[in-house]
Structures are given as structure tokens and as C-alpha cells.
Coordinates of all heavy atoms in Angstrom, one line a residue:
Q220 N 6.4 12.9 4.3 CA 7.3 14.0 3.8 C 6.5 14.8 2.7 O 6.2 14.2 1.7 CB 8.6 13.4 3.2 CG 9.5 12.8 4.3 CD 10.7 12.2 3.7 OE1 10.6 11.2 2.9 NE2 11.9 12.7 4.0
G221 N 6.3 16.1 3.0 CA 5.7 16.9 2.0 C 4.1 16.8 2.0 O 3.5 17.5 1.3
V222 N 3.6 15.9 2.9 CA 2.2 15.6 2.9 C 1.9 15.0 4.2 O 2.8 14.3 4.8 CB 1.8 14.7 1.7 CG1 2.4 13.3 1.8 CG2 0.3 14.7 1.6
Q223 N 0.7 15.1 4.7 CA 0.3 14.4 5.9 C 0.3 12.9 5.7 O -0.1 12.4 4.7 CB -1.1 14.8 6.4 CG -1.5 14.2 7.7 CD -2.8 14.8 8.2 OE1 -3.3 15.8 7.6 NE2 -3.4 14.2 9.3
R224 N 0.9 12.2 6.7 CA 1.0 10.7 6.5 C -0.4 10.1 6.3 O -1.3 10.4 7.0 CB 1.7 10.1 7.7 CG 1.9 8.6 7.5 CD 2.7 8.0 8.7 NE 3.2 6.6 8.3 CZ 2.5 5.5 8.5 NH1 1.2 5.5 9.0 NH2 3.0 4.3 8.2
N225 N -0.5 9.3 5.3 CA -1.8 8.6 5.0 C -1.4 7.2 4.5 O -1.2 6.9 3.3 CB -2.6 9.4 3.9 CG -4.0 8.9 3.7 OD1 -4.2 7.6 3.9 ND2 -4.9 9.7 3.4
A226 N -1.4 6.3 5.5 CA -0.9 4.9 5.2 C -2.0 4.2 4.2 O -1.6 3.5 3.3 CB -0.7 4.1 6.4
Q227 N -3.3 4.4 4.5 CA -4.2 3.8 3.6 C -4.1 4.2 2.1 O -4.1 3.3 1.3 CB -5.7 4.1 4.1 CG -6.7 3.4 3.2 CD -8.1 3.7 3.6 OE1 -8.5 3.6 4.8 NE2 -9.0 4.2 2.7
E228 N -3.9 5.5 1.9 CA -3.8 5.9 0.5 C -2.5 5.4 0.0 O -2.4 5.0 -1.3 CB -3.8 7.4 0.4 CG -3.8 8.0 -1.0 CD -3.8 9.5 -1.1 OE1 -4.1 10.1 -0.1 OE2 -3.6 10.0 -2.2
A229 N -1.4 5.4 0.8 CA -0.1 4.9 0.3 C -0.2 3.5 -0.1 O 0.3 3.1 -1.2 CB 0.9 5.1 1.5
Y230 N -0.8 2.6 0.7 CA -0.9 1.2 0.2 C -1.9 1.0 -0.9 O -1.6 0.1 -1.8 CB -1.4 0.3 1.4 CG -0.2 0.1 2.4 CD1 -0.2 0.8 3.7 CD2 0.9 -0.7 2.1 CE1 0.8 0.6 4.6 CE2 1.9 -0.9 3.0 CZ 1.9 -0.2 4.2 OH 2.9 -0.4 5.1
A231 N -2.9 1.9 -1.1 CA -3.7 1.8 -2.2 C -2.9 2.1 -3.5 O -3.0 1.4 -4.5 CB -4.9 2.8 -2.1
W232 N -2.0 3.1 -3.4 CA -1.2 3.4 -4.6 C -0.1 2.3 -4.8 O 0.2 2.0 -6.0 CB -0.4 4.7 -4.4 CG -1.3 5.9 -4.7 CD1 -1.6 6.9 -3.8 CD2 -1.8 6.2 -6.0 NE1 -2.4 7.8 -4.5 CE2 -2.5 7.5 -5.8 CE3 -1.8 5.6 -7.3 CZ2 -3.2 8.1 -6.9 CZ3 -2.4 6.3 -8.3 CH2 -3.1 7.5 -8.2
L233 N 0.4 1.6 -3.8 CA 1.2 0.5 -4.0 C 0.5 -0.7 -4.7 O 1.1 -1.4 -5.6 CB 1.8 0.0 -2.7 CG 2.9 1.0 -2.0 CD1 3.3 0.5 -0.6 CD2 4.1 1.1 -2.9
L234 N -0.8 -0.9 -4.3 CA -1.5 -2.0 -4.9 C -1.7 -1.6 -6.4 O -1.6 -2.6 -7.3 CB -2.8 -2.1 -4.3 CG -2.8 -2.8 -2.9 CD1 -4.1 -2.5 -2.1 CD2 -2.6 -4.3 -3.0
V235 N -2.0 -0.3 -6.7 CA -2.2 0.1 -8.1 C -0.9 -0.1 -8.9 O -0.9 -0.6 -10.0 CB -2.7 1.5 -8.1 CG1 -2.7 2.0 -9.6 CG2 -4.1 1.6 -7.5
A236 N 0.2 0.3 -8.3 CA 1.5 0.1 -8.9 C 1.8 -1.3 -9.3 O 2.3 -1.6 -10.4 CB 2.6 0.7 -8.0
S237 N 1.5 -2.2 -8.4 CA 1.6 -3.6 -8.7 C 0.7 -4.1 -9.9 O 1.2 -4.8 -10.8 CB 1.3 -4.5 -7.5 OG 1.5 -5.9 -7.7
E238 N -0.5 -3.6 -9.9 CA -1.4 -3.9 -10.9 C -0.9 -3.5 -12.3 O -1.1 -4.1 -13.3 CB -2.8 -3.3 -10.7 CG -3.6 -4.0 -9.7 CD -4.1 -5.4 -10.3 OE1 -4.6 -5.4 -11.4 OE2 -4.0 -6.4 -9.6
F239 N -0.2 -2.3 -12.3 CA 0.3 -1.7 -13.5 C 1.7 -2.2 -13.9 O 2.4 -1.7 -14.7 CB 0.2 -0.2 -13.5 CG -1.1 0.3 -13.8 CD1 -1.9 1.0 -12.9 CD2 -1.8 0.1 -15.1 CE1 -3.1 1.5 -13.1 CE2 -3.0 0.6 -15.3 CZ -3.7 1.3 -14.3
G240 N 2.2 -3.2 -13.2 CA 3.4 -3.9 -13.6 C 4.7 -3.6 -12.7 O 5.7 -4.2 -13.0
N241 N 4.6 -2.8 -11.7 CA 5.7 -2.5 -10.9 C 5.7 -3.5 -9.7 O 5.2 -3.2 -8.6 CB 5.7 -1.1 -10.4 CG 6.9 -0.7 -9.5 OD1 7.8 -1.5 -9.3 ND2 6.9 0.6 -9.0
H242 N 6.3 -4.7 -9.9 CA 6.2 -5.7 -8.9 C 7.3 -5.6 -7.8 O 7.4 -6.4 -6.9 CB 6.3 -7.1 -9.6 CG 5.1 -7.4 -10.4 ND1 3.8 -7.4 -10.0 CD2 5.0 -7.5 -11.8 CE1 2.9 -7.6 -10.9 NE2 3.6 -7.7 -12.0
S243 N 8.1 -4.5 -7.9 CA 9.1 -4.3 -6.9 C 8.4 -3.9 -5.5 O 9.0 -4.0 -4.5 CB 10.1 -3.2 -7.3 OG 9.4 -1.9 -7.4
V244 N 7.1 -3.6 -5.6 CA 6.4 -3.2 -4.4 C 5.7 -4.4 -3.7 O 5.2 -4.2 -2.6 CB 5.3 -2.1 -4.7 CG1 5.9 -0.9 -5.4 CG2 4.2 -2.7 -5.6
D245 N 5.7 -5.6 -4.4 CA 4.9 -6.7 -3.9 C 5.4 -7.2 -2.5 O 4.5 -7.5 -1.6 CB 5.0 -7.9 -4.9 CG 4.3 -7.6 -6.2 OD1 3.6 -6.5 -6.2 OD2 4.4 -8.4 -7.1
A246 N 6.7 -7.2 -2.3 CA 7.2 -7.7 -1.0 C 6.7 -6.7 0.2 O 6.3 -7.2 1.2 CB 8.7 -7.8 -1.0
Q247 N 6.7 -5.5 -0.1 CA 6.4 -4.5 0.9 C 4.9 -4.7 1.2 O 4.4 -4.6 2.4 CB 6.6 -3.1 0.4 CG 6.2 -2.0 1.4 CD 6.6 -0.6 0.9 OE1 7.0 -0.4 -0.3 NE2 6.3 0.4 1.7
L248 N 4.0 -4.9 0.2 CA 2.6 -5.1 0.4 C 2.3 -6.4 1.2 O 1.5 -6.4 2.1 CB 1.9 -5.3 -1.0 CG 1.7 -4.0 -1.8 CD1 1.3 -4.3 -3.2 CD2 0.7 -3.1 -1.1
Q249 N 3.1 -7.4 0.9 CA 2.9 -8.7 1.6 C 3.3 -8.7 3.1 O 2.7 -9.2 4.0 CB 3.6 -9.8 0.9 CG 3.0 -10.2 -0.5 CD 3.9 -11.0 -1.3 OE1 4.9 -11.5 -0.8 NE2 3.5 -11.2 -2.6
S250 N 4.4 -7.9 3.3 CA 4.9 -7.9 4.7 C 4.4 -6.7 5.5 O 4.4 -6.9 6.8 CB 6.5 -7.7 4.6 OG 6.8 -6.5 4.0
S251 N 3.9 -5.7 4.9 CA 3.6 -4.5 5.8 C 2.2 -4.0 5.8 O 1.8 -3.4 6.8 CB 4.5 -3.3 5.3 OG 5.8 -3.6 5.3
M252 N 1.4 -4.2 4.7 CA 0.1 -3.6 4.6 C -0.8 -3.9 5.8 O -1.3 -3.0 6.5 CB -0.6 -3.9 3.3 CG -1.9 -3.2 3.1 SD -2.6 -3.2 1.5 CE -3.1 -4.9 1.3
E253 N -1.0 -5.2 6.1 CA -2.0 -5.5 7.2 C -1.4 -5.2 8.6 O -2.0 -4.9 9.5 CB -2.4 -7.0 7.1 CG -3.3 -7.2 5.8 CD -4.3 -8.4 6.0 OE1 -4.3 -9.0 7.2 OE2 -5.0 -8.8 5.0
A254 N 0.0 -5.3 8.6 CA 0.7 -5.1 9.9 C 0.5 -3.5 10.2 O 0.4 -3.1 11.4 CB 2.2 -5.4 9.8
D255 N 0.6 -2.7 9.2 CA 0.4 -1.2 9.4 C -1.1 -0.8 9.5 O -1.4 0.1 10.3 CB 1.0 -0.6 8.2 CG 1.4 0.9 8.4 OD1 1.0 1.4 9.5 OD2 2.0 1.5 7.6
L256 N -1.9 -1.4 8.8 CA -3.4 -0.9 8.7 C -4.3 -1.8 9.4 O -5.4 -1.3 9.8 CB -3.8 -0.9 7.2 CG -3.1 0.1 6.3 CD1 -3.6 -0.1 4.9 CD2 -3.2 1.5 6.8
G257 N -4.0 -3.1 9.7 CA -4.9 -4.0 10.2 C -5.8 -4.5 9.1 O -5.8 -3.9 8.0
K258 N -6.6 -5.5 9.4 CA -7.4 -6.1 8.3 C -8.4 -5.2 7.7 O -8.6 -5.0 6.5 CB -8.1 -7.4 8.8 CG -8.9 -8.1 7.7 CD -9.5 -9.4 8.2 CE -10.1 -10.2 7.0 NZ -10.9 -9.4 6.1
T259 N -9.1 -4.4 8.6 CA -10.1 -3.5 8.1 C -9.5 -2.4 7.3 O -10.1 -2.1 6.2 CB -10.9 -2.8 9.4 OG1 -11.5 -3.9 10.1 CG2 -11.9 -1.9 8.9
G260 N -8.4 -1.8 7.7 CA -7.7 -0.8 7.0 C -7.2 -1.3 5.7 O -7.2 -0.6 4.6
A261 N -6.7 -2.5 5.7 CA -6.1 -3.2 4.5 C -7.3 -3.3 3.4 O -7.1 -3.1 2.2 CB -5.4 -4.5 4.8
D262 N -8.4 -3.8 3.9 CA -9.6 -4.0 3.0 C -10.0 -2.6 2.4 O -10.3 -2.5 1.2 CB -10.7 -4.6 3.7 CG -10.5 -6.1 4.0 OD1 -9.7 -6.7 3.4 OD2 -11.2 -6.6 4.9

């Protein structure tokens, strides 16, 4: 929405959000990142 979909960048920002203390994103990272990106994309 408002931008071309970019799952890799999205999960990168979720990882950063968790690092800076927003742990409401942790469940999404654990359940969705590798499923959406695959292992190579998640790395």
C-alpha cells in the first residue's frame, strides 16, 4: 500500500523494530519471515 511490495525490506524493518524494543513484532517474525522469504531471503 503506497509502495511496491518488498517483503525483504519489510522484515528487515521488523527485525530492527524488535532490536529497538518493539517486541510486538516478534511473533510475526517467528511465524512468517522464513515462510514468506525462504531461508536465503530471510538471511
Side-chain angles (χ1 to χ4, degrees):
Q220 290 176 297
V222 66
Q223 184 174 350
R224 187 177 191 272
N225 188 329
Q227 179 181 307
E228 184 180 353
Y230 285 107
W232 279 116
L233 289 176
L234 287 163
V235 174
S237 180
E238 280 292 312
F239 281 115
N241 180 2
H242 296 295
S243 67
V244 305
D245 291 352
Q247 182 179 3
L248 285 166
Q249 292 166 9
S250 65
S251 302
M252 184 166 71
E253 291 207 6
D255 198 352
L256 298 177
K258 186 177 186 312
T259 300
D262 287 343

